[in-house]
Amino acid sequence: MMENEEVDTEALKKDADFLANLQRLETEMKAENSIAKGYQVLDAKLVIEAEEDDINEVFTFIVNSAFDKLSDYLTEPRKFDMAEPEDWATVRAIYEHAIQRYSENDKKGAKEIFLVLHHMVIVDELKDAMMIHACAVMAGHSFEEFVENLADVDGIDPEDP
């Protein structure tokens, strides 16, 4: 698909093949307990503007599965390997949850999750980023201050996974 090409969401909502593939992917997501497939399902449901309950159900699956996997990794012990799609998706879900907590001013919860991620990922650059997040929370910065003053949003490469 071309970068500027619009997605015809109304056509997708009626496309039997697309809907069947989406249903198959959702079934696989649940059967395999796949967070990566959960994000694919979530993205597709957001594009077709699915019912809010359907979207929330997939999002809840992603978050619950991510924290279940975190719990398993903590007891094994094992760290998240960002080269593995499932680990990458798991870290993404946990990070997004931490950001949500931070944006809702739950600084204690956000700090704890950022610190857990700092200790659970293998990639040093990501470990350091999680510590910066945790330090910003501990220093009392609001989420808005963090984004406006501390986050390097200019340096983001949208093509970098």
Side-chain angles (χ1 to χ4, degrees), residues 95 102 110-121 123-139 141 146 150:
Y95 174 76
Y102 192 13
K111 175 192 73 172
E112 290 169 353
I113 297 170
F114 291 137
L115 288 173
V116 166
L117 286 174
H118 167 78
H119 290 288
M120 292 298 297
V121 296
V123 179
D124 287 338
E125 186 177 33
L126 189 53
K127 289 174 72 72
D128 293 346
M130 293 303 102
M131 185 55 76
I132 290 168
H133 283 66
C135 289
V137 173
M138 291 185 282
H141 293 282
F146 175 78
L150 299 172

Side-chain angles (χ1 to χ4, degrees), residues 33-118:
N33 201 32
S34 173
I35 298 164
K37 286 184 179 183
Y39 272 113
Q40 291 176 327
V41 170
L42 181 65
D43 290 344
K45 287 189 179 233
L46 289 170
V47 166
I48 64 170
E49 299 169 340
E51 294 291 323
E52 186 176 343
D53 287 347
D54 290 342
I55 291 169
N56 287 339
E57 181 181 328
V58 176
F59 184 73
T60 299
F61 167 86
I62 290 169
V63 173
N64 289 345
S65 297
F67 278 94
D68 288 347
K69 186 170 281 190
L70 172 62
S71 176
D72 292 344
Y73 278 29
L74 285 167
T75 58
E76 287 181 15
R78 177 178 166 190
K79 293 191 177 194
F80 291 110
D81 178 356
M82 300 312 289
E84 294 293 324
E86 277 301 313
D87 282 2
W88 188 92
T90 302
V91 170
R92 173 184 170 185
I94 295 167
Y95 174 76
E96 288 175 351
H97 184 73
I99 288 294
Q100 179 183 352
R101 301 284 286 267
Y102 192 13
S103 70
E104 294 171 351
N105 206 33
D106 177 5
K107 292 182 180 178
K108 181 181 185 301
K111 175 192 73 172
E112 290 169 353
I113 297 170
F114 291 137
L115 288 173
V116 166
L117 286 174
H118 167 78

